Amino acid sequence: MSALRYVIIGNSAAAVGCVEGIRSVDREGPVAVVSDEPYPVYSRPLISYLLEGKTDLEHMKYRPDDFYEKNGVKALLGVRAERIDAAGKRVLLSTGESLPYDRLLVATGSRPFVPPMAGLETVGKKFSFMKLDDARALQAALTPESRVLIVGAGLIGLKCAEGIRRLVRSVEVVDLADRILPSVLDAEGAAAVRKHIEAQGVSFTLGDSVAKFEGNLATLKSGKRIPFDALVLAVGVRPNTRLAAEAGCRVGRGVAVDARSATTVPDIYAAGDCCECRDISSGADHIIAILPNAYFQGETAGVNMAGGEKRFEKAIPMNSAGFFGLHVITAGSYEGEAWVERTDRSYKKLVSKDNLLKGFILVGDVARAGIYTALIRERTPLDTIDYELIRRQPQLMAFSRGKRAEMLGGIRA
Amino acid sequence: MKRVYVNEKWCLGCHLCEYNCAFANSGETDMVRALQDVRIYPRIRVEGDNRVSFAVSCRHCSEPICVKSCIAGALSVRDGVVRCDREKCVGCFTCVLVCPYGAVMPAPDGSVIRKCELCTDNGFGEPACVKGCPNGAIVFEER
């Protein structure tokens, strides 16, 4: 049998996971990576740290320089995949060439969502904040006198605010939601984080949205007027599903995949922000656009593409980020019975339901958070541990002696 | 591969492993100078109460969820040891979010993480926690 030919569309975490997954099974088959971004793989979530000066281009490389060579990967960078010919099993490229494949991974990621806003075309300096080129363009436009308006108080908007705060005169964040980080925090957690960020000189206008732009002036629905020099649009992202949809893959909110990361079209797999998957904390299918998820789905796809057997069935939404030194870790979903503990420096909420931990929010004190995350991910029945003890502090003491021997002693129960 | 294991039947809860860890990673040659009057941030932590105690440090998992989840590519596996490149780490604490053992620690200033690298990163050569355990409760062996 001749070697399998692998093609990966995309060149970020899911693609790297896929390459590493393929190579754990198949050392030989040729792999081609196609990406319209002209750079070797770098960590996209690090662009805010780049502006902040906490990292640089060298250190934000997601894998070492010899990654492609060592893994026998031909990287076609700065080349766009235009179409998937599923019947002919080839990918048509912007160069006019086509790449034949035996197994294909669609890891096309997501793109910024820009809602229709009146007068947006009159704004000169407007930016997204997802890719390296976005960060570079924004940085080039900023001066110490710049007033920056960020639309969107989610993770992207707030990490952007942190990244640029020291570089500019002012940062104002507007969001339609009545709190910051609406998709990951509850009202009380959001209020605590907001207070901390405001103390760093970032101001917020919440529960409001832009009615119209006129050049460098935004007028909000409330009538509030915000003059600005640069605009960052961080409202949300949308999955890049066009290629997969046109190839015949079933697409819901994102490309539909099973636990093997296979799409509904034979030999086409998908992974990362372009996909939807089953959130085991809520039972719902949705897009979990986080880097670890992309890696796990990509790796799973890679192993299966190469003829191995791997399933990824433990996806949950989860996030960890610091904002001006205040750490926030969240996971799972928040429907159920809440247990809350607050001090003047921290906020903690655990949510349980049906004898399972479903989700948590930690602000400030985040030590050993992974012990909670594992309870959600492994669906550990809470009556098998000392829940009262573990609620106060995440700790292995809350598990039975036998379970601990397994966890720490390498002894299978 | 050899890993650090703890036998909680033998652990006295004396916390010496924490001090030996902090010393081995301090860069100092004198233990008193390294540890006197400082708050220590060891990479191994003793848990328990007055009946049961045990030390917890990185398991160096063969399928390390921290490495696969690291958003910066700062965590990697070399010769079976899960290591952190502190120049690449930005302190997002995604590894803290995912480690089921709670074995990845924020550094004191919160800007990066720290974890047990089996004393391969500090010139000590062999795990200091194991060498200094007075009751043989922590061992470094193949299982």
Side-chain angles (χ1 to χ4, degrees), chain B residues 1-60:
Chain B
M1 180 200 144
K2 283 169 86 171
R3 291 187 172 86
V4 169
Y5 296 102
V6 60
N7 185 342
E8 67 182 53
K9 278 194 204 123
W10 297 105
C11 177
L12 304 167
C14 70
H15 294 260
L16 255 181
C17 50
E18 296 178 350
Y19 287 93
N20 282 312
C21 175
F23 173 47
N25 289 301
S26 67
E28 297 278 353
T29 50
D30 180 74
M31 192 164 186
V32 175
R33 204 168 57 200
L35 303 181
Q36 197 169 35
D37 301 327
V38 295
R39 183 165 172 208
I40 61 165
Y41 293 89
R43 299 156 194 208
I44 187 166
R45 294 288 170 93
V46 175
E47 269 196 45
D49 54 24
N50 50 21
R51 295 167 297 121
V52 178
S53 55
F54 52 92
V56 182
S57 60
C58 174
R59 303 289 83 214
H60 299 281

Side-chain angles (χ1 to χ4, degrees), chain A residues 72-84:
Chain A
V73 175
K74 186 175 161 193
L76 301 167
L77 306 180
V79 175
R80 174 179 281 278
E82 300 287 1
R83 196 165 70 79
I84 298 165

Side-chain angles (χ1 to χ4, degrees), chain A residues 376-388:
Chain A
I376 306 173
R377 193 172 54 225
E378 304 302 329
R379 300 173 63 84
T380 305
L382 294 180
D383 59 8
T384 64
I385 61 169
D386 187 340
Y387 186 49
E388 207 173 301

Side-chain angles (χ1 to χ4, degrees), chain A residues 252-274:
Chain A
R253 288 191 175 119
V255 181
V257 290
D258 63 16
R260 300 171 66 252
S261 278
T263 70
T264 52
V265 174
D267 298 323
I268 302 183
Y269 294 72
D273 288 10
C274 66

Side-chain angles (χ1 to χ4, degrees), chain B residues 44-102:
Chain B
I44 187 166
R45 294 288 170 93
V46 175
E47 269 196 45
D49 54 24
N50 50 21
R51 295 167 297 121
V52 178
S53 55
F54 52 92
V56 182
S57 60
C58 174
R59 303 289 83 214
H60 299 281
C61 305
S62 48
E63 293 270 327
I65 191 169
C66 59
V67 173
K68 296 179 184 190
S69 299
C70 178
I71 70 164
L75 289 167
S76 63
V77 182
R78 243 185 303 150
D79 304 324
V81 180
V82 175
R83 296 163 195 253
C84 178
D85 180 341
R86 270 155 278 182
E87 299 294 312
K88 295 187 77 174
C89 177
V90 293
C92 74
F93 297 170
T94 300
C95 47
V96 176
L97 158 68
V98 298
C99 174
Y101 306 99

Side-chain angles (χ1 to χ4, degrees), chain A residues 43 45-46 49 54-55 58-63 291-292 295-296 299 310 318-322 327 329-331 360 366-371 373-374 377 394-397 401 404 407-411, chain B residues 4-6 8-9 45 47-49 51-52 54-57 59 63 65 67-73 75 85 87-94 96-104 106 110-111 143:
Chain A
S43 170
L46 262 52
Y49 299 92
K54 251 191 116 173
T55 191
E58 187 58 31
H59 289 103
M60 65 193 289
K61 289 174 178 170
Y62 183 60
R63 285 296 181 267
L291 190 142
Y295 184 92
F296 285 115
E299 184 194 33
K310 197 176 183 75
M318 55 181 187
N319 281 285
S320 179
H327 283 275
I329 292 188
T330 62
F360 68 85
V366 299
R368 308 191 81 186
I371 294 176
T373 311
R377 193 172 54 225
Q395 54 190 300
L396 303 186
M397 190 68 185
R401 192 181 283 255
R404 233 174 11 245
M407 292 174 86
L408 299 177
I411 296 160
Chain B
V4 169
Y5 296 102
V6 60
E8 67 182 53
K9 278 194 204 123
R45 294 288 170 93
E47 269 196 45
D49 54 24
R51 295 167 297 121
V52 178
F54 52 92
V56 182
S57 60
R59 303 289 83 214
E63 293 270 327
I65 191 169
V67 173
K68 296 179 184 190
S69 299
C70 178
I71 70 164
L75 289 167
D85 180 341
E87 299 294 312
K88 295 187 77 174
C89 177
V90 293
C92 74
F93 297 170
T94 300
V96 176
L97 158 68
V98 298
C99 174
Y101 306 99
V104 183
S111 66
R143 282 192 182 173

